[in-house]
Amino acid sequence: MKNKTFLKIIQPDDWHVHLREGDMMKVVTKFSSRINNRCVVMPNLETPITNSYLARQYKEHLSLITAGLNFTTLLPCYLIDSLDLEDFKLALKEDIFVGAKLYPINATTNSSFGISKIDNIFSALEILEELGKPLLVHGEKVREDINIFDREKYFIDEELQIIRNRYPSLKIILEHVSSEYGTDFVNENKNTAGTITPHHMMLTKKDFFYENSINPHHYCMPVVKEESDLIALRRCACSGNKKFFIGSDSAPHDIVNKETTSDIKPGIFSAPCSIELYAEIFNQENALEKLENFTSINGPEFYNLPINQDKIYIVKKEWIVEEFTIFNDIKVKNFYGGEKLKWKIEF
Ligand code: DOR
Ligand code: ZN
């Protein structure tokens, strides 16, 4: 496939994306909805989506923006220590929630309502296991004595392994796997999968730290890590391994919250070029024939959802990614903005 000049693949889905609210939602959703059939939309809003009422309300806002498009949003419930279990169970049964998302408390953007102790969600996990619905995990342990680069490893050892052992049939998705330790955990455990972002396969900590400072536009949670981690992630994605699938974690923040504050928000906005970034990575790894497995097959299979019918075309064509996404008062720096890519989706 080395000299391929165009790819025809089953339409992708994005199993982890942030579509936000208000004007931000209006401007970012179009990038995801014109490529994907389905998106798993993260519930970490300022008021996190912790019950069916908030879920219906959010889905209604999204449907106003995506009316007339063939585009489905799937929403996991944001788990909290004091979840209304009756409401949770019913909402899962009615497909208002696709599963549930575990944010450890204070691990990332809008996670202050997250879980302080995993014992607090055991009843919710039982329900998920019983209904065959997945647990989506932000896998980082935040504690003062734990180095930011080791958070994924500690979470796996001290929290996730306990969940894994206690609920053997529970489907677990370790989201935005960022380390070789994480890929090993996914590979070694049954009913366990992982999503991989383009940025964790393109950046290392050298791209994050520069000149005694950090590049806020390369700052995300989990943080990008070593070359050896990047290589492990590429190996898992590009080999066709069924346990790994697309999840861009495209997470827009206004430039104000990136460049002009000491409280820099983590998140990388890749939606304007995420499918092309994945194509670029698979091309570099001589694995274009496996791209479709990663973007369009492994995800629905793990979620037990139908594989999409439509096809998309990605052609070999140089183009420069727009530097910013701008709308009303919003200005977001696009990941890879101003840089050249060799693949482009053709509509
Ligand atoms: O970098 C990140 N940004 N990681 C997350 O887990 C959340 C996300 C966000 O919402 O901005
Ligand atoms: Zn995310």
Side-chain angles (χ1 to χ4, degrees):
M1 261 224 192
K2 262 193 180 151
N3 298 318
K4 266 264 184 215
T5 55
F6 89 93
L7 304 165
K8 180 182 178 187
I9 61 167
I10 297 168
Q11 187 183 17
D13 305 293
D14 190 340
W15 301 98
H16 181 142
V17 66
H18 298 263
L19 297 183
R20 309 293 196 210
E21 303 166 79
D23 274 356
M24 187 65 96
M25 179 198 272
K26 278 189 194 148
V27 67
V28 303
T29 301
K30 62 173 193 257
F31 294 109
S32 299
S33 63
R34 68 183 181 181
I35 293 172
N36 300 292
N37 183 33
R38 294 165 292 211
C39 279
V40 170
V41 180
M42 286 302 124
N44 63 328
L45 307 183
E46 274 177 39
T47 302
I49 302 173
T50 54
N51 61 47
S52 63
Y53 172 77
L54 293 169
R56 283 180 205 275
Q57 202 176 42
Y58 187 57
K59 283 193 174 193
E60 218 171 286
H61 291 161
L62 278 165
S63 67
L64 291 176
I65 289 173
T66 60
L69 301 174
N70 267 334
F71 180 65
T72 304
T73 51
L74 305 169
L75 191 63
C77 178
Y78 183 117
L79 292 174
I80 48 172
D81 288 342
S82 55
L83 198 69
D84 178 342
L85 292 170
E86 284 299 304
D87 176 73
F88 177 60
K89 190 166 184 177
L90 199 63
L92 286 166
K93 282 188 178 165
E94 290 179 350
D95 288 328
I96 294 164
F97 287 129
V98 70
K101 171 90 188 214
L102 162 52
Y103 284 105
I105 191 164
N106 297 329
T108 187
T109 309
N110 295 339
S111 60
S112 60
F113 298 92
I115 300 307
S116 57
K117 200 158 161 267
I118 52 165
D119 310 44
N120 295 342
I121 54 162
F122 283 166
S123 313
L125 301 186
E126 242 163 65
I127 293 171
L128 289 171
E129 187 179 43
E130 181 196 325
L131 299 180
K133 303 281 185 180
L135 173 70
L136 287 60
V137 178
H138 183 110
E140 290 196 288
K141 179 129 184 166
V142 183
R143 210 174 55 206
E144 230 169 69
D145 60 316
I146 300 174
N147 183 304
I148 195 168
F149 294 101
D150 295 332
R151 285 179 179 177
E152 190 164 277
K153 177 186 180 313
Y154 274 88
F155 184 84
I156 289 170
D157 288 348
E158 295 183 7
E159 319 268 344
L160 197 52
Q161 195 67 64
I162 293 170
I163 296 175
R164 185 63 293 165
N165 296 345
R166 200 177 157 107
Y167 304 98
S169 307
L170 176 65
K171 287 187 189 192
I172 297 180
I173 303 166
L174 180 57
E175 303 216 278
H176 39 56
V177 185
S178 67
S179 64
E180 186 168 16
Y181 201 82
T183 60
D184 286 348
F185 177 82
V186 171
N187 278 320
E188 285 160 13
N189 285 279
K190 275 198 191 138
N191 297 321
T192 308
T195 56
I196 307 181
T197 74
H199 46 274
H200 286 101
M201 292 194 284
M202 298 186 96
L203 306 174
T204 66
K205 63 185 190 186
K206 284 186 201 150
D207 302 296
F208 167 44
F209 288 116
Y210 72 107
E211 292 167 9
N212 294 327
S213 181
I214 66 156
N215 179 344
H217 301 296
H218 289 165
Y219 173 49
C220 59
M221 290 297 182
V223 290
V224 295
K225 300 194 166 65
E226 304 286 346
E227 178 100 19
S228 54
D229 298 306
L230 176 149
I231 290 168
L233 293 167
R234 282 186 173 223
R235 198 184 315 122
C236 291
C238 297
S239 60
N241 185 332
K242 281 184 165 301
K243 284 173 153 283
F244 294 91
F245 46 88
I246 188 168
S248 70
D249 198 11
S250 177
H253 288 286
D254 194 282
I255 206 157
V256 170
N257 293 317
K258 285 289 201 181
E259 293 182 352
T260 56
T261 170
S262 55
D263 179 25
I264 302 168
K265 295 274 187 287
I268 291 181
F269 180 55
S270 61
C273 60
S274 48
I275 196 70
E276 287 95 345
L277 292 170
Y278 284 115
E280 195 92 8
I281 292 161
F282 278 68
N283 190 30
Q284 287 166 2
E285 299 297 322
N286 287 324
L288 282 174
E289 75 282 2
K290 294 284 197 283
L291 181 67
E292 183 181 61
N293 297 75
F294 182 78
T295 60
S296 318
I297 297 172
N298 299 349
E301 283 189 353
F302 192 80
Y303 270 85
N304 207 13
L305 290 169
I307 290 167
N308 296 328
Q309 298 280 316
D310 290 349
K311 306 273 189 212
I312 60 155
Y313 296 89
I314 307 175
V315 298
K316 196 158 195 180
K317 180 180 178 182
E318 290 198 344
W319 64 294
I320 310 268
V321 179
E322 282 280 331
E323 192 123 26
F324 300 102
T325 293
I326 298 171
F327 179 67
N328 292 341
D329 294 338
I330 288 173
K331 185 174 181 187
V332 184
K333 172 92 169 73
N334 300 335
F335 182 55
Y336 234 64
E339 308 244 4
K340 197 188 286 173
L341 281 172
K342 294 199 201 77
W343 293 88
K344 180 120 186 64
I345 189 155
E346 196 158 86
F347 293 103

